[in-house]
Amino acid sequence: MDRAGFLQHAFSATLSSDALWAATRNYMLRSHQCAGFLVLSRELTVLDSNVSKLGVDAFSKSRTGADLTTLPESLLDNLKKIFHEDPKRAREDTGIEFVALDLKFHIRTIAINNQTVGAFIWITQVKTGNATADDVIHFAASTLEILTSKFSVEQEKTWLIKEQQAIVDHITDGLLVIERSGVVRFMNATAGRILNLVPKKSIGQRFSDLLDFEPIIHPIFESGVGYVDRELIIDSPRRHLHLIDTAVPIKNAQGQVVSIVNSFREIHRVRKIADRLQGNHARYTFESLIGSSESLQDATAAAHKAARGFANVLLNGESGVGKEVFAQAIHNGSSRVDGPFIAINCAALPRDLIESELFGYTSGSFTGARKEGRPGKFESATGGTIFLDEISELPLDVQAKLLRVLQEREVVRIGDTRGIPIDVRIISACNRDLRQLVQTKEFREDLFYRFNVIAITIPPLRKRQGDIAVLANHFLTKYAALLGKRTYRFQPSVLEKMMKYEWPGNVRELENCVERIVNLCDEEEVSDIYFSELDVAHALPESRQSGTLKSLRDAERDAIEAMLQACNCNITESARRLGISKPTLYAKIREHGVIVERAIR
């Protein structure tokens, strides 16, 4: 309802509800001069009337709720005119005589806040003097105007209170007002939801009686010092709350705290905003995995299956093959796509800070720590995915704590004893053989099994040569568009040279190489001169350049068969020379269906 509509509603409501207006109407009806009266809205609709003494058919429809199309045209014209004039000019009595009817219409507008909302019409006989009639007209119209204005103010106050209540109840933060006596004066719906309380039942009760823990805001009544955005962790028998809390004391003229306004929000909402601002989100999807080789398609299919579940994933592969691209694609293909994606390079973290970065710390835990403490990466990743790259570089003592986090699904900050529940999916990656590290006691075996629930091996670029040209053309298009270059294609000899190169840095090296070429090349076609810097030491052997390409699975089978034949099917020796454990070799033999037959000598 807009402002004009609200004033009109107040005017109409006054006529039907106020006892003083009813008494005034009765007074008018008892007057010997009264031939009738009408109260009209701006739409010329009758809101209140009494024309029974007129006995004129023309006014037979002047009943409440009827329009005035049957009134004399001159009266209607005057009414329409005064409604569009300045209300101050229309406040004076406007008299219209109808000699044929021996009637006179005294018109006075009703205005609220300088806005005309209706009109009061007093009807008398023409022959009757107007001295007394004028007093009655002004008394009745003024009474109606005063009552309507008062009703309007009360209604608007009620309206504003309801509006403010609706606003407070629908803000996303919890809001409490606590009196000095500890009684809850106000609680909005969000606060009730977070604290598991019913606001209507809680108002008027002591706040401490509603909870199973001691409210931390009570000391503010004595200290007078509030706080802003303090992290609050509450772990009571009935509640586990992790909030960002603000308490503002309200003081009287003597400086005494009379009440506290307490607002708070759940930590996961704060983290969601922080993740969006810090860029903790995954950009790559499965469509970002470019290539059609069989080995890449096998890895992509396994990643698709992993994305549908919740198990931990271990990505194996050389540096530069795109392990983080796979990790982001799994995250974006999972049900956690709306949660954060936080990537951590374990090799890049200083040894002294690894634990605090992963698990967080409380205030005063160590020299240089923030006063308010800090959550770790695992807490920040709650509801989403954490990607641990280069996990082989984690110190053994950190591995032990990480194992407990995986088992208990909670973290304990440095300097604290309370566990904080977390809900994260872990995707880890390594470019070293973790099984070999387990055997040499450089990596915990129990942690390895926790990580290695779903293992996906990403093939190096040299083992999927068919994808080199596709990737090179993709990067050429990408960087030519970014730099505004008119470089569109490679010469066939350039692509041939690319196919013969081993690419020890894998996809990362290829992308950097193409980016450099686009920066240097000003022609539409890339020629051989831009590949003069490639290291010939990394060229593929001639046998691999001209021979038939094999899939990673076939190459693995051939390597196992060749080694078993060379070692006369000695499993122990074959496993040692292959660089794997005996159980792994047995598993590979069963997987590939290799027949083990020791030669008779």
Side-chain angles (χ1 to χ4, degrees):
M1 184 185 297
D2 59 11
R3 184 78 177 174
F6 174 74
L7 293 174
Q8 187 67 57
H9 168 73
F11 180 52
S12 303
T14 301
L15 295 170
S16 60
S17 63
D18 199 281
L20 184 55
W21 167 248
T24 304
R25 180 174 52 185
N26 293 334
Y27 167 73
M28 290 188 298
L29 292 176
R30 289 195 300 270
S31 172
H32 68 280
Q33 295 183 354
C34 179
F37 69 87
L38 293 170
V39 182
L40 309 179
S41 68
R42 281 182 61 92
E43 292 75 22
L44 299 181
T45 301
V46 178
L47 300 179
D48 197 6
S49 69
N50 188 295
V51 292
S52 59
K53 294 185 179 182
L54 297 178
V56 181
D57 292 338
F59 300 99
S60 60
K61 292 185 178 180
S62 297
R63 61 187 181 276
T64 302
D67 58 36
L68 296 181
T69 56
T70 57
L71 287 180
E73 188 173 345
S74 58
L75 176 61
L76 292 176
D77 290 341
N78 274 275
L79 288 171
K80 293 176 182 177
K81 180 180 179 182
I82 66 174
F83 276 138
H84 291 87
E85 289 182 350
D86 183 358
K88 292 182 179 179
R89 293 180 55 194
R91 296 290 291 276
E92 301 299 328
D93 177 21
T94 302
I96 304 173
E97 294 187 5
F98 297 94
V99 180
L101 300 177
D102 192 29
L103 296 176
K104 186 173 182 179
F105 291 78
H106 308 266
I107 306 170
R108 191 180 186 282
T109 57
I110 306 299
I112 306 176
N113 298 334
N114 206 32
Q115 182 174 353
T116 303
V117 295
F120 172 73
I121 301 176
W122 177 259
I123 307 170
T124 63
Q125 302 292 330
V126 174
K127 60 185 179 182
T128 305
N130 291 334
T132 307
D134 289 345
D135 295 337
V136 176
I137 292 166
H138 286 290
F139 170 74
S142 298
T143 300
L144 181 56
E145 195 168 67
I146 292 171
L147 293 175
T148 304
S149 298
K150 179 183 177 183
F151 184 85
S152 173
V153 170
E154 294 297 326
Q155 286 288 93
E156 187 166 9
K157 188 185 299 182
T158 303
W159 189 17
L160 289 174
I161 291 173
K162 289 183 178 180
E163 188 179 63
Q164 292 172 358
Q165 180 72 43
I167 292 172
V168 171
D169 274 340
H170 287 84
I171 61 174
T172 54
D173 287 4
L175 184 63
L176 284 170
V177 179
I178 310 296
E179 296 179 349
R180 186 172 184 84
S181 60
V183 173
V184 178
R185 182 187 298 173
F186 177 80
M187 176 187 295
N188 72 346
T190 305
R193 176 183 61 78
I194 295 174
L195 298 175
N196 195 24
L197 297 171
V198 180
K200 289 184 179 180
K201 295 181 179 179
S202 302
I203 295 174
Q205 297 190 49
R206 289 183 59 82
F207 191 41
S208 58
D209 295 339
L210 300 171
L211 306 173
D212 56 342
F213 59 90
E214 184 64 27
I216 66 169
I217 61 174
H218 280 179
I220 298 177
F221 285 110
E222 299 303 326
S223 67
V225 180
Y227 53 82
V228 177
D229 292 339
R230 176 187 291 181
E231 185 179 18
L232 177 62
I233 300 176
I234 297 171
D235 194 6
S236 67
R238 288 192 297 164
R239 295 172 178 84
H240 185 89
L241 303 175
H242 197 171
L243 310 171
I244 296 296
D245 192 53
T246 296
V248 178
I250 307 299
K251 301 179 181 179
N252 58 18
Q254 291 73 38
Q256 185 181 40
V257 178
V258 293
S259 63
I260 297 174
V261 178
N262 185 208
S263 61
F264 45 88
R265 64 178 59 182
E266 294 153 304
I267 192 70
H268 68 82
R269 290 186 53 246
V270 180
R271 286 175 179 159
K272 199 168 186 179
I273 297 173
D275 291 336
R276 188 162 57 245
L277 295 176
Q278 294 176 1
N280 292 332
H281 61 276
R283 296 179 290 129
Y284 299 110
T285 63
F286 283 112
E287 286 70 28
S288 305
L289 302 176
I290 300 171
S292 57
S293 61
E294 182 180 353
S295 56
L296 180 66
Q297 294 302 314
D298 288 344
T300 304
H304 270 290
K305 294 177 181 178
R308 295 196 293 264
F310 303 96
N312 296 333
V313 179
L314 175 62
L315 301 174
N316 297 299
E318 298 177 5
S319 179
V321 295
K323 295 187 287 295
E324 185 166 352
V325 176
F326 265 82
Q328 292 190 20
I330 292 172
H331 171 78
N332 280 329
S334 71
S335 59
R336 296 175 176 263
V337 62
D338 294 327
F341 177 88
I342 296 180
I344 304 170
N345 189 331
C346 300
L349 294 175
R351 182 181 178 87
D352 296 337
L353 299 178
I354 290 179
E355 203 170 338
S356 62
E357 284 291 320
L358 294 181
F359 311 124
Y361 57 84
T362 59
S363 59
S365 302
F366 52 88
T367 303
R370 289 184 180 180
K371 181 180 180 181
E372 66 275 12
R374 183 179 177 182
K377 298 296 186 182
F378 275 88
E379 284 184 65
S380 300
T382 292
T385 303
I386 189 168
F387 174 56
L388 300 177
D389 198 7
E390 306 293 353
I391 57 170
S392 58
E393 307 306 315
L394 287 173
L396 287 172
D397 55 336
V398 177
Q399 291 180 29
K401 191 165 185 178
L402 183 57
L403 178 64
R404 178 170 178 80
V405 170
L406 297 181
Q407 290 175 335
E408 304 298 331
R409 291 292 171 178
E410 67 176 23
V411 295
V412 178
R413 294 183 183 180
I414 297 176
D416 202 355
T417 58
R418 295 172 299 179
I420 301 174
I422 59 171
D423 174 26
V424 297
R425 184 182 193 179
I426 299 176
I427 300 178
S428 53
C430 186
N431 59 3
R432 299 172 63 185
D433 187 354
L434 280 184
R435 292 184 182 275
Q436 185 67 32
L437 296 177
V438 169
Q439 290 181 352
T440 58
K441 306 300 182 182
E442 296 178 66
F443 199 85
R444 292 180 63 101
E445 184 176 13
D446 46 7
L447 182 60
F448 167 71
Y449 291 126
R450 285 286 181 181
F451 280 143
N452 194 38
V453 178
I454 298 177
I456 300 175
T457 300
I458 304 172
L461 191 56
R462 64 181 175 274
K463 292 188 177 181
R464 52 185 183 110
Q465 286 181 287
D467 293 338
I468 293 177
V470 178
L471 285 165
N473 283 301
H474 168 75
F475 294 135
L476 179 67
T477 303
K478 172 184 174 181
Y479 287 107
L482 287 175
L483 297 174
K485 293 292 190 74
R486 296 176 58 83
T487 305
Y488 300 117
R489 57 186 176 273
F490 294 99
Q491 287 182 353
S493 58
V494 174
L495 291 176
E496 183 180 352
K497 184 177 288 189
M498 285 183 171
M499 298 284 287
K500 291 180 179 180
Y501 185 65
E502 193 173 24
W503 299 108
N506 293 294
V507 180
R508 183 184 293 123
E509 182 185 4
L510 175 60
E511 182 176 4
N512 292 342
C513 180
V514 174
E515 184 180 4
R516 176 180 60 81
I517 289 170
V518 175
N519 276 275
L520 299 177
C521 182
D522 292 321
E523 296 83 26
E524 293 187 358
E525 190 174 57
V526 179
S527 60
D528 287 347
I529 61 173
Y530 297 103
F531 280 86
S532 58
E533 298 180 15
L534 290 181
D535 187 356
V536 294
H538 290 291
L540 291 174
E542 288 296 327
S543 59
R544 290 180 57 184
Q545 294 176 16
S546 57
T548 303
L549 296 176
K550 294 181 180 181
S551 68
L552 182 61
R553 181 182 178 85
D554 291 340
E556 185 178 61
R557 174 190 170 92
D558 292 347
I560 291 173
E561 288 181 337
M563 187 59 69
L564 288 171
Q565 185 176 0
C567 297
N568 194 26
C569 295
N570 186 319
I571 300 297
T572 302
E573 179 64 17
S574 297
R576 186 187 66 79
R577 294 174 64 177
L578 286 171
I580 58 177
S581 65
K582 286 175 62 177
T584 301
L585 180 56
Y586 278 120
K588 295 291 185 182
I589 290 172
R590 290 193 298 270
E591 179 183 350
H592 294 292
V594 176
I595 299 175
V596 181
E597 293 182 351
R598 182 169 297 183
I600 300 175
R601 295 180 179 178

XYZ file of all heavy atoms in Angstrom, residues 3 25 40 110 138 143 189 195 225 300 331 354 370 372 426 438 499 507 524 551 571 575 582 591:
196
model
N 1.698 5.542 0.007
C 1.375 6.567 1.001
C -0.045 7.087 0.855
O -0.796 7.204 1.832
C 2.377 7.722 0.847
C 2.214 8.816 1.872
C 2.813 8.402 3.182
N 2.737 9.457 4.159
C 3.093 9.305 5.425
N 3.542 8.140 5.830
N 2.995 10.294 6.276
N -21.829 12.998 14.385
C -22.845 12.728 13.362
C -24.241 12.832 13.969
O -25.158 13.419 13.371
C -22.604 11.334 12.758
C -23.609 10.960 11.683
C -23.219 9.644 11.044
N -23.005 8.605 12.067
C -22.569 7.391 11.815
N -22.250 7.059 10.593
N -22.436 6.518 12.776
N -17.299 11.856 1.423
C -16.845 11.227 0.187
C -15.338 10.986 0.217
O -14.582 11.729 0.841
C -17.174 12.129 -1.020
C -18.599 12.642 -1.148
C -18.706 13.535 -2.374
C -19.588 11.492 -1.247
N -11.221 17.385 3.366
C -10.515 16.809 4.508
C -9.100 16.488 4.049
O -8.909 15.759 3.071
C -11.211 15.539 5.021
C -12.689 15.820 5.318
C -10.492 14.987 6.247
C -12.915 16.865 6.379
N -17.896 23.595 10.138
C -16.489 23.626 10.530
C -16.217 22.718 11.724
O -15.156 22.089 11.802
C -16.065 25.068 10.854
C -15.917 25.925 9.627
N -14.905 25.751 8.723
C -16.681 26.948 9.152
C -15.015 26.625 7.740
N -16.112 27.376 7.977
N -13.494 18.100 13.301
C -13.473 16.877 14.130
C -13.038 15.676 13.293
O -12.184 14.875 13.707
C -14.862 16.621 14.730
O -15.239 17.734 15.538
C -14.854 15.356 15.572
N 14.146 -14.174 14.839
C 13.935 -15.570 14.431
C 15.254 -16.283 14.164
O 15.407 -17.468 14.476
C 13.038 -15.606 13.194
N 20.321 -20.694 18.233
C 20.420 -21.121 19.635
C 19.425 -22.217 19.994
O 19.394 -22.673 21.143
C 20.202 -19.919 20.552
C 21.219 -18.777 20.425
C 20.807 -17.603 21.308
C 22.614 -19.257 20.787
N 32.881 -2.650 28.162
C 33.664 -2.776 26.923
C 33.097 -3.914 26.087
O 33.102 -5.075 26.527
C 35.154 -3.041 27.235
C 35.946 -3.163 25.928
C 35.720 -1.923 28.109
N 40.236 -40.112 -16.908
C 39.057 -39.241 -16.817
C 37.832 -40.027 -16.376
O 37.032 -39.545 -15.559
C 38.791 -38.561 -18.174
O 39.957 -37.842 -18.580
C 37.619 -37.604 -18.079
N 36.072 -31.970 -7.932
C 35.286 -31.122 -7.022
C 34.057 -30.557 -7.727
O 32.942 -30.610 -7.187
C 36.160 -29.994 -6.494
C 35.413 -28.950 -5.719
N 35.014 -29.129 -4.406
C 34.944 -27.721 -6.085
C 34.352 -28.058 -3.995
N 34.295 -27.187 -4.995
N 53.752 -25.591 9.007
C 52.836 -26.527 8.349
C 51.641 -26.828 9.240
O 50.487 -26.772 8.822
C 53.573 -27.834 7.978
C 54.555 -27.582 6.840
C 52.558 -28.896 7.545
C 55.325 -28.815 6.434
N 48.760 -14.509 15.761
C 47.769 -13.440 15.879
C 47.082 -13.499 17.242
O 46.862 -14.578 17.791
C 46.717 -13.575 14.781
C 47.227 -13.249 13.389
C 46.081 -13.311 12.395
N 46.523 -13.011 11.039
C 45.719 -12.998 9.981
N 44.426 -13.269 10.147
N 46.183 -12.718 8.782
N 44.004 -12.912 18.055
C 42.690 -13.541 18.051
C 42.711 -14.983 17.572
O 41.671 -15.642 17.496
C 41.727 -12.734 17.171
C 42.075 -12.718 15.684
C 43.076 -11.652 15.309
O 43.686 -11.062 16.237
O 43.256 -11.402 14.107
N 39.086 -35.005 0.922
C 40.503 -34.799 0.676
C 40.895 -35.430 -0.650
O 40.654 -36.612 -0.894
C 41.345 -35.389 1.811
C 40.996 -34.701 3.142
C 42.825 -35.259 1.517
C 41.711 -35.287 4.333
N 56.826 -45.597 1.680
C 56.334 -46.378 2.821
C 57.361 -47.430 3.213
O 57.636 -47.664 4.403
C 54.972 -47.016 2.495
C 54.587 -48.032 3.573
C 53.900 -45.943 2.374
N 55.983 -33.662 -31.726
C 55.677 -35.074 -31.472
C 56.937 -35.866 -31.118
O 56.861 -36.879 -30.418
C 55.015 -35.683 -32.702
C 53.682 -35.053 -33.082
S 52.346 -35.558 -32.005
C 52.085 -37.232 -32.549
N 52.451 -31.250 -19.655
C 51.528 -30.262 -20.213
C 51.931 -28.852 -19.807
O 51.793 -27.901 -20.585
C 50.082 -30.560 -19.754
C 49.117 -29.527 -20.322
C 49.662 -31.950 -20.190
N 51.191 -15.303 -39.208
C 49.982 -16.094 -39.011
C 50.302 -17.556 -38.770
O 49.503 -18.280 -38.180
C 49.059 -15.967 -40.231
C 48.469 -14.573 -40.414
C 47.445 -14.537 -41.507
O 47.217 -15.595 -42.143
O 46.861 -13.469 -41.747
N 49.191 -48.189 -25.139
C 48.530 -47.569 -23.995
C 49.360 -47.833 -22.747
O 50.230 -48.718 -22.715
C 47.124 -48.138 -23.812
O 47.190 -49.494 -23.418
N 59.531 -63.785 -8.097
C 58.661 -62.660 -7.734
C 59.407 -61.618 -6.907
O 59.288 -60.407 -7.136
C 57.422 -63.155 -6.968
C 56.607 -64.139 -7.815
C 56.541 -61.966 -6.552
C 56.039 -63.538 -9.077
N 59.964 -57.880 -8.340
C 59.377 -56.732 -7.651
C 60.450 -55.705 -7.300
O 60.243 -54.493 -7.425
C 58.649 -57.197 -6.388
N 56.077 -56.767 -3.351
C 55.593 -58.069 -3.819
C 54.059 -58.116 -3.891
O 53.504 -58.595 -4.892
C 56.117 -59.187 -2.902
C 57.585 -59.493 -3.101
C 58.098 -60.517 -2.088
C 57.379 -61.856 -2.236
N 57.914 -62.867 -1.310
N 45.680 -58.626 -12.272
C 44.944 -57.614 -13.042
C 45.150 -57.817 -14.549
O 44.207 -57.710 -15.334
C 45.408 -56.222 -12.624
C 44.732 -55.086 -13.390
C 45.271 -53.721 -12.994
O 46.025 -53.642 -12.000
O 44.942 -52.738 -13.696
